[in-house]
Amino acid sequence: MKEIRQAYDAAAPAWRVGPARLYGVLAQVLLDHAPVPVRGAVVLDAGAGTGVAGDAAWVRGAARVVDADLAPEILAPGGVAADLRRLPFRDRAFDLTVAAFSLGHLDDPVLGVRELRRVAPALLASAFAEGWTHPAKEVVDDVLAVHGYRAPDWYTAFKDGPERRAGAPDRLADLAVAAGHHDVRVSRVEVATGLSAPRDLVAWRLGMAHVAPFVATLPETAQQALRSEAERGLAGAPEVVVPMLVLTAT
Ligand SMILES: C[S@@+](CC[C@H](N)C(=O)[O-])C[C@H]1O[C@@H](n2cnc3c(N)ncnc32)[C@H](O)[C@@H]1O
């Protein structure tokens, strides 16, 4: 947990100018699937990061939105630094919790979803479908390797731990059922993100929490070189289309 918090804290500036755009598009689509009306609702954005899911709830007329995240540096002002497995909120303080791409980070996701159910009767969560990729991942990873990058242990464990990952529909549904939800649905939505310009693709990949802290340690000239090499490798790349799993549970 500590490594994840430190990574997201360190990645915050690069996340805001990179991944936030892609995650923002995904959040807007996610909120279309809310299991309860968002208009007038009190909403918790759990594992909020920069708060894109909470923003999407505001756009839909939420009465109040609270962002909570383990990593205080990535939160927008007013957000609450908290572990979503032990939230500092009373029972049923919210009408709806949105957990956008955050459950996959938990060692014990059932515990996390149980805690989310304690504070809100309805849950809307997302995860990347298993096996999804885009050329930007490989191209940027190859360039990073040339510059001496090695994936941090927390990320390798996260990627290699299928037990813990929420990227399979039955896994996501099982989580919600195990946490006590009754009406549980998982759907798969293909989201065309509009991201295809090499510059944007590279900003997305270099802003990810397992990469950005490493990039920040490089001299500015090496960072520029890395970006240019990766952008050249992504000329003509296709648009990022994300297969997103959407969990709704009440
Ligand atoms: C992939 S990011 C997604 C951020 C945001 N929801 C979005 O869609 O842009 C995952 C977020 O979950 C947060 N996170 C990971 N484990 C957490 C935990 N135990 N409690 C609260 N937040 C956590 C991370 O700090 C990170 O901001």
Side-chain angles (χ1 to χ4, degrees):
M1 274 300 125
K2 187 171 157 231
E3 291 84 1
I4 293 178
R5 175 170 54 73
Q6 287 172 340
Y8 277 97
D9 272 340
W15 184 287
R16 285 191 189 96
V17 297
R21 179 163 163 202
L22 179 127
Y23 283 80
V25 175
L26 298 174
Q28 291 295 339
V29 176
L30 178 61
L31 263 290
D32 287 341
H33 296 263
V36 293
V38 177
R39 179 160 301 281
V42 180
V43 177
L44 171 67
D45 185 351
T50 56
V52 287
D55 292 346
W58 277 124
V59 169
R60 284 160 180 77
R64 192 166 158 245
V65 175
V66 174
D67 291 353
D69 199 284
L70 195 62
E73 296 296 326
I74 200 163
L75 279 165
V80 177
D83 187 330
L84 67 78
R85 296 165 309 165
R86 283 182 296 279
L87 290 165
F89 307 118
R90 62 176 170 75
D91 294 1
R92 304 279 160 132
F94 302 91
D95 300 305
L96 170 69
T97 293
V98 186
F101 302 100
S102 51
L103 299 179
H105 279 305
L106 304 179
D107 288 334
D108 38 15
V110 174
L111 205 78
V113 176
R114 214 172 271 149
E115 177 67 346
L116 297 182
R117 184 164 176 264
R118 181 185 69 75
V119 300
L123 171 66
L124 173 65
S126 58
F128 292 103
E130 267 180 329
W132 170 68
T133 193
H134 180 275
K137 294 190 183 190
E138 202 180 322
V139 168
V140 174
D141 283 356
D142 287 351
V143 175
L144 279 166
V146 171
H147 286 260
Y149 170 76
R150 263 196 67 244
D153 290 344
W154 70 264
Y155 183 71
T156 313
F158 165 66
K159 278 285 167 204
D160 296 347
E163 291 291 305
R164 302 183 348 194
R165 281 171 36 205
D170 52 347
R171 179 91 183 109
L172 260 187
D174 289 351
L175 277 182
V177 171
H181 283 287
H182 300 294
D183 189 355
V184 175
R185 291 153 209 248
V186 178
S187 55
R188 181 186 159 115
V189 188
E190 301 282 319
V191 185
T193 64
L195 228 76
S196 64
R199 196 187 174 89
D200 297 335
L201 294 172
V202 172
W204 159 44
R205 294 314 299 166
L206 294 186
M208 296 300 287
H210 60 289
V211 168
F214 165 80
V215 175
T217 65
L218 298 175
E220 187 56 37
T221 47
Q223 293 188 28
Q224 295 288 359
L226 195 159
R227 272 194 200 96
S228 308
E229 286 161 41
E231 286 175 18
R232 272 198 301 279
L234 285 167
E239 177 185 10
V240 179
V241 179
V242 173
M244 178 170 74
L245 297 183
V246 176
L247 166 74
T248 59
T250 53

